[in-house]
Amino acid sequence: MADLTAPAADATVPSAALRERSLTRRLRAMPLRWRLLGVTLGLVAAALTVTALVISALLRVYLLNQAEQELHVYAASVASFEAAELSETQPRLPSGFTLRTIDLDTGKSRSLGEAVTEPDQADIPALRANDPRVTDAATFQVGSVGGDGQWIALAQVDQAGTDIYVFALPLRPLDSTVNRFLFFATGIGAFALLLTALVGWYLIRRTFRPLTRIEDTAAQIAVGDLTQRVDVPDTDDEVASLSRSLNAMLARIEQSFAVREANEEKMRRFIADASHELRTPLAAVGGYAELYRQGALPTTDAVTGAMGRIESEAHRMSGLVEDLLTLARLDGERPLELQTVDLAVLAADAAQDARTIAPGRHIVATGINGPIEPTELRADEHQLRQVVTNLVTNARVHTPDGTPIEILVGRVDAQHVALHVRDHGPGIPVDARADVFERFYRADRSRSRGQGGGNGLGLAIVHAIIEAHGGTVRVDETPGGGATVVVALPVAPTQREPRHHRATQGTADS
């Protein structure tokens, strides 16, 4: 039998656990308003119940004390009479009292008055003079003859010492009073609960109204409308704080999505431009190779010319790939190899190299506020040299032959130095100055490079290097006509935040 009953007993445990989990799930599925209202009503009901029970207990104790006092008062007034005198005079007691005498010699009991309000008489036991209930002069409880009623009794010996007086009061009126109180308390409590439910539901709905609006706004945001905002109530509570926090979060999310879309658009344009830049020389290389394979280059001069074109396009592709790798390294946040660099030396070297390439131009390095002087800073010399070279090359390529170019260096203040590359060419339109640092940007949106055109990445590299050093770069107008690229660099660059979004940010030369 033990083996048969044990599994059945164990089977009830999972069943009880399942029922508990099911109840928990049902409670969690209820709306928060209903749960809050249920908790409120439960607390109010518990408070009313405890209050009613405590008051009923205190009321019973109070009424019992009153009954005891009445017994002692009437016992004191009757104690001066002897039993014989009481029999003759028949003392007038209240209708709820019972008075009996017990003869100490014979033990016989005699009634001198019964409670006429009770259906059953008190079941008073036979007492002796040495009974503790007599000697202690304290009240005690007795039952009813033929019933279940309870009485409170007091016994004492008369002055003659021949009889015991026993006074008794029924507890039924006392219990009836307590029960009546509980009945009215229950009715009042039920009415209070109903009123609390109605008022509580109204107040909870009013209190949850801002949360309902937040829920509606969240639903609109969930379908893609990121412009929605939560109405902030004119209060200083948790709901207002939550609304402000949600609005700040939504603003950040909207901004993040906008930045992501902008970066995706720039990435698509960057890939398209890079593909075009690579496709053009690849097409030329493939075309000349196809001509050579088909024997369409019959002479040595034709073959030499085709090989020259192939070499030229290969150099062009190599430069483009090298520039793309440079930008990728800069976007990858590689640490700078900082050392003390004299910007004046870099400017002088760039001017000398440019004069060698374009001997017909007037290219000079000078100071911003006078003769050129040593201008030292902590920087990556290789990258900073590339900045100066790219800026001078950009000015030389995009201005007519013979246009002078000045490279100016100097200190701005104790913490910053500046580099200006100034030309006197056609200049850059105001509305295009913010775009010249985008990758593959051209003032002329056509795909032709023109005479000596670059690949559109020179100023993009400049912008990335200057940002990596914590500096700034912009384009101003040269007095009298032309463009001036203004670079400002800190003397001692500080560590900057990672540029996660710059992998797709476009910057290029004009």
Side-chain angles (χ1 to χ4, degrees):
M1 291 296 293
D3 294 336
L4 294 176
T5 57
D10 295 340
T12 60
V13 177
S15 178
L18 287 175
R19 285 195 298 270
E20 182 179 355
R21 284 197 293 269
S22 177
L23 178 61
T24 302
R25 284 196 297 269
R26 284 197 295 269
L27 290 176
R28 289 179 178 176
M30 292 177 60
L32 182 59
R33 298 179 184 86
W34 289 105
R35 280 187 281 169
L36 183 59
L37 181 61
V39 170
T40 302
L41 292 178
L43 293 175
V44 172
L48 291 174
T49 301
V50 171
T51 301
L53 292 177
V54 171
I55 292 178
S56 64
L58 294 176
L59 178 61
R60 180 179 176 82
V61 171
Y62 172 76
L63 295 176
L64 192 60
N65 289 335
Q66 290 292 103
E68 290 178 351
Q69 291 178 9
E70 289 183 24
L71 286 177
H72 282 286
V73 168
Y74 283 102
S77 64
V78 174
S80 60
F81 294 92
E82 295 182 0
E85 295 176 342
L86 287 175
S87 299
E88 295 175 358
T89 60
Q90 286 293 325
R92 301 179 62 181
L93 299 175
S95 58
F97 271 77
T98 290
L99 173 59
R100 296 183 188 178
T101 61
I102 300 175
D103 190 289
L104 292 177
D105 294 332
T106 62
K108 291 182 179 182
S109 175
R110 183 161 54 99
S111 175
L112 297 180
E114 296 291 338
V116 299
T117 59
E118 298 301 312
D120 300 314
Q121 295 183 352
D123 185 13
I124 296 177
L127 300 174
R128 307 301 299 174
N130 58 354
D131 194 300
R133 288 173 289 187
V134 177
T135 57
D136 291 344
T139 59
F140 56 92
Q141 291 190 14
V142 297
S144 298
V145 177
D148 56 357
Q150 293 293 316
W151 299 68
I152 182 173
L154 176 66
Q156 64 180 13
V157 180
D158 65 351
Q159 290 184 349
T162 59
D163 293 278
I164 297 176
Y165 299 153
V166 181
F167 302 88
L169 272 175
L171 295 179
R172 187 182 59 82
L174 183 148
D175 294 333
S176 177
T177 301
V178 173
N179 292 335
R180 191 176 298 111
F181 165 79
L182 288 175
F183 173 77
F184 285 113
T186 303
I188 295 173
F191 177 76
L193 279 178
L194 178 61
L195 185 62
T196 301
L198 295 176
V199 176
W201 176 247
Y202 170 76
L203 294 178
I204 288 174
R205 286 193 61 184
R206 187 176 181 85
T207 303
F208 272 67
R209 193 173 300 166
L211 296 180
T212 302
R213 289 196 291 265
I214 292 175
E215 182 181 2
D216 296 338
T217 303
Q220 295 176 358
I221 294 171
V223 298
D225 188 3
L226 296 178
T227 61
Q228 293 292 326
R229 292 295 182 269
V230 177
D231 293 334
V232 180
D234 188 18
T235 56
D236 192 18
D237 54 10
E238 291 80 0
V239 176
S241 177
L242 175 63
S243 301
R244 286 190 290 267
S245 299
L246 285 176
N247 284 338
M249 181 186 69
L250 291 173
R252 288 179 177 270
I253 292 175
E254 184 180 11
Q255 182 181 11
S256 298
F257 271 89
V259 170
R260 189 186 71 174
E261 291 176 358
N263 288 342
E264 289 177 352
E265 177 62 27
K266 290 179 181 179
M267 174 64 79
R268 284 191 294 268
R269 193 176 70 186
F270 176 80
I271 293 175
D273 289 340
S275 299
H276 176 82
E277 294 292 336
L278 289 172
R279 185 170 60 246
T280 301
L282 283 174
V285 171
Y288 283 112
E290 182 68 18
L291 290 176
Y292 178 78
R293 186 182 64 81
Q294 293 178 355
L297 303 174
T299 65
T300 303
D301 292 339
V303 172
T304 302
M307 291 301 105
R309 290 296 298 159
I310 290 175
E311 183 180 9
S312 174
E313 296 300 330
H315 282 304
R316 180 178 168 186
M317 284 190 295
S318 177
L320 176 62
V321 171
E322 184 64 31
D323 287 343
L324 290 174
L325 289 176
T326 299
L327 287 171
R329 286 192 294 268
L330 292 171
D331 288 339
E333 295 293 331
R334 292 191 177 183
L336 301 175
E337 298 179 2
L338 298 179
Q339 56 184 306
T340 301
V341 180
D342 190 346
L343 194 57
V345 174
L346 300 185
D349 292 345
Q352 179 64 36
D353 294 340
R355 284 194 296 269
T356 303
I357 297 173
R361 288 191 183 239
H362 177 71
I363 303 175
V364 62
T366 184
I368 293 178
N369 300 314
I372 190 169
E373 296 179 350
T375 308
E376 294 184 345
L377 73 159
R378 295 283 295 173
D380 188 313
E381 181 179 2
H382 174 73
Q383 293 188 6
L384 207 57
R385 187 179 294 275
Q386 187 173 8
V387 166
V388 181
T389 301
N390 284 9
L391 291 178
V392 174
T393 300
N394 184 75
R396 177 176 56 81
V397 169
H398 293 90
T399 55
D401 293 338
T403 302
I405 298 173
E406 293 99 25
I407 309 172
L408 301 93
V409 297
R411 287 191 175 274
V412 177
D413 51 44
Q415 302 297 327
H416 296 84
V417 297
L419 166 69
H420 297 179
V421 177
R422 178 189 301 164
D423 66 60
H424 300 273
I428 300 175
V430 176
D431 57 353
R433 292 174 187 173
D435 301 327
V436 296
F437 298 102
E438 293 183 4
R439 299 173 185 183
F440 296 110
Y441 173 81
R442 303 178 190 86
D444 179 8
R445 301 306 298 175
S446 67
R447 296 297 181 178
S448 63
R449 308 275 12 115
Q451 296 296 325
N455 55 29
L457 295 176
L459 289 185
I461 295 174
V462 169
H463 183 272
I465 292 175
I466 296 304
E467 266 201 328
H469 284 77
T472 60
V473 58
R474 70 178 189 273
V475 178
D476 290 343
E477 184 175 358
T478 301
T484 301
V485 180
V486 179
V487 175
L489 289 167
V491 174
T494 57
Q495 188 68 28
R496 300 176 303 108
E497 294 294 329
R499 298 168 292 147
H500 297 297
H501 66 282
R502 298 194 186 107
T504 58
Q505 183 176 351
T507 51
D509 62 6
S510 58

